[in-house]
Amino acid sequence: MNREQNIMRSFPILEARDLQVKRGGVPFLDVPSFQIGSGEILSLIGPNGAGKTTLLLTLSHLTKRVSGEILFHGKKVGSDFSIFEYRRHLAMVFQEPLLFDTTVFNNVASGLKIRNMEKGEIRRTVLDHLDRFGITQLIDRSARTLSGGEAQRTSLARAFAIKPEILLLDEPFAALDPPTRESLVEDLDRALRESGTTALFATHDRMEALRLSDHIAVMNQGRIIQIGPPEEVMNRPVDEFVAGFVGVETILSGKVIRKEEGGFIVSVSGKEIETVGEVPTGETVALCIRPENVTLSASSSKETTSARNVFQGRIAKILFLEFYGKVYLDCGFPLVAYITRHSLENLGLEEGKEVKASFKATAIHVVRRKAK
């Protein structure tokens, strides 16, 4: 049985029903249903102000809700299970490390002292977790002298030291430089998998979410728009907002003009695009095409392709990124493609040049527009 099947079969460790939070009478959070399985790593992604932090604070009983209930191991928090006892099973790591003005050792030991752990066991536990996050050499350093990455490592070591059943992380790496962030994501991933800790991770970085998560929940305006395994959310978004947020660079609006065997034809700016599925003729749809699914070749190329959609296009812009180029095309409709730097050089691609762009009918995700 794989990890996801284990999670799905397990009883939810944390569940919320009909959560609502308002500020000044304005709704900030509206979550009819939410749950996370024991040992699951679930990422909340969405733009700033989407409600990610509010949901974490509400689940930890640090923000007052106007309605709803929270269940821990099936017991209602606040009635069947005291809020104080519930919080002892949680740990939270914020974007800005909240450290005491003392040594790294004392910061990591703080939660253990509150739990009246024996001194020798405290030291062993602290040393284990300093080693886990690569900061043993900082044991006697003052928290005030730490860099951003060192401080966040200390926060994570402190959180894991109390062996929480649920770890809540609120964009913990957002303020760090890329190399530090990459190193910390790797260490957090390993710590979560080794410990089996349940984690709820808020981020606006979809690559972090993909790296860490068993499931991803996309939030906007205080609501969870879609939740599911990373592959499902990334490749089968439920609407155009989710599509845009998870990296679909091309979203085309068009009308279904006729059916084909196993699929249908959509007219987009006078061009015909073939895709698969069943949608009635005359319906307006959005076609979502990920840039990695678009292939570019020389305009004069005679190579055959199995792709059903092949268009001549002009390069409008090339954005050079670290390992690849992002190519913006005008094919009579806008289209974005990723291409390796090696292929960019081999094809001699530059702005204004004509190229051939192709993508498979099966590579298109169709979002049916809701009738207004």
Side-chain angles (χ1 to χ4, degrees):
M1 184 180 294
N2 63 32
R3 175 181 173 83
E4 183 172 316
Q5 288 172 327
N6 274 317
I7 290 167
M8 296 304 292
R9 285 171 64 90
S10 65
F11 191 83
I13 188 173
L14 182 64
E15 187 175 1
R17 301 170 183 166
D18 300 318
L19 283 189
Q20 285 195 338
V21 174
K22 292 183 180 181
R23 294 176 186 166
V26 178
F28 262 68
L29 187 71
D30 185 2
V31 178
S33 176
F34 175 83
Q35 65 180 40
I36 182 169
S38 181
E40 179 181 354
I41 303 170
L42 189 152
S43 286
L44 301 171
I45 67 172
N48 292 333
K52 304 185 298 296
T53 298
T54 301
L55 178 56
L56 291 182
L57 293 176
T58 305
L59 291 172
S60 60
H61 269 268
L62 294 175
T63 286
K64 187 176 180 181
R65 61 188 185 275
V66 297
S67 67
E69 57 187 21
I70 297 169
L71 291 85
F72 180 63
H73 287 297
K75 297 180 179 180
K76 293 182 182 179
V77 178
S79 56
D80 302 333
F81 206 87
S82 75
I83 294 174
F84 174 77
E85 184 61 24
Y86 168 64
R87 284 178 176 163
R88 289 174 66 87
H89 293 269
L90 308 180
M92 190 159 186
V93 177
F94 296 91
Q95 180 176 330
E96 294 296 329
L98 301 178
L99 300 178
F100 299 114
D101 185 13
T102 183
T103 64
V104 167
F105 178 92
N106 286 330
N107 268 282
V108 177
S110 58
L112 306 176
K113 292 177 180 178
I114 291 172
R115 287 162 172 76
N116 296 315
M117 184 180 283
E118 189 268 331
K119 285 186 177 180
E121 185 63 22
I122 287 177
R123 183 166 184 83
R124 284 191 293 273
T125 302
V126 170
L127 289 174
D128 284 346
H129 287 84
L130 292 179
D131 180 64
R132 168 174 268 174
F133 288 99
I135 50 173
T136 304
Q137 73 281 6
L138 303 177
I139 188 169
D140 295 319
R141 282 268 298 274
S142 166
R144 286 190 170 184
T145 68
L146 301 177
S147 68
E150 292 169 340
Q152 203 57 285
R153 287 181 181 277
T154 302
S155 292
L156 287 167
R158 179 175 63 184
F160 275 94
I162 64 170
K163 297 182 179 178
E165 286 196 63
I166 302 174
L167 179 61
L168 307 174
L169 303 116
D170 186 21
E171 304 206 37
F173 310 133
L176 303 177
D177 59 82
T180 301
R181 184 167 62 242
E182 171 62 23
S183 176
L184 266 167
V185 168
E186 184 175 333
D187 287 346
L188 174 61
D189 185 31
R190 183 173 59 253
L192 288 170
R193 306 294 173 180
E194 289 175 352
S195 65
T197 304
T198 303
L200 191 54
F201 178 77
T203 180
H204 62 267
D205 187 326
R206 65 176 178 269
M207 298 311 295
E208 285 182 358
L210 284 171
R211 174 78 173 274
L212 292 169
S213 307
D214 300 302
H215 288 84
I216 291 175
V218 183
M219 294 191 70
N220 190 36
Q221 297 181 340
R223 297 174 180 268
I224 294 176
I225 309 301
Q226 183 175 1
I227 187 168
E231 188 276 336
E232 177 183 303
V233 175
M234 298 296 286
N235 294 305
R236 294 186 291 280
V238 296
D239 61 20
E240 292 168 65
F241 169 81
V242 175
F245 197 81
V246 300
V248 176
E249 297 279 0
T250 302
I251 303 176
L252 305 171
S253 179
K255 181 175 287 189
V256 179
I257 56 173
R258 69 177 182 274
K259 293 184 178 182
E260 296 283 340
E261 185 177 353
F264 54 94
I265 304 298
V266 179
S267 176
V268 176
S269 300
K271 304 287 186 178
E272 295 188 359
I273 298 178
E274 182 175 343
T275 187
V276 296
E278 288 287 339
V279 176
T281 301
E283 187 169 317
T284 299
V285 296
L287 304 181
C288 302
I289 307 167
R290 297 191 68 87
E292 57 268 31
N293 291 330
V294 178
T295 300
L296 301 183
S297 56
S299 180
S300 59
S301 174
K302 302 298 184 181
E303 291 182 11
T304 59
T305 174
S306 61
R308 304 300 293 271
N309 298 291
V310 182
F311 299 94
Q312 290 291 124
R314 181 183 60 82
I315 298 175
K317 182 173 71 172
I318 300 176
L319 181 61
F320 293 95
L321 302 174
E322 187 174 3
F323 299 112
Y324 60 90
K326 182 191 275 189
V327 181
Y328 295 82
L329 301 162
D330 179 2
C331 298
F333 54 84
L335 185 65
V336 180
Y338 288 162
I339 187 168
T340 65
R341 283 180 171 268
H342 178 72
S343 295
L344 272 169
E345 294 171 2
N346 279 354
L347 292 171
L349 300 188
E350 58 185 19
E351 292 181 11
K353 187 169 184 175
E354 294 288 325
V355 294
K356 190 182 293 182
S358 61
F359 48 92
K360 295 182 177 182
T362 54
I364 304 170
H365 175 67
V366 180
V367 175
R368 297 176 67 172
R369 294 273 176 80
K370 295 179 181 178
K372 297 183 178 179

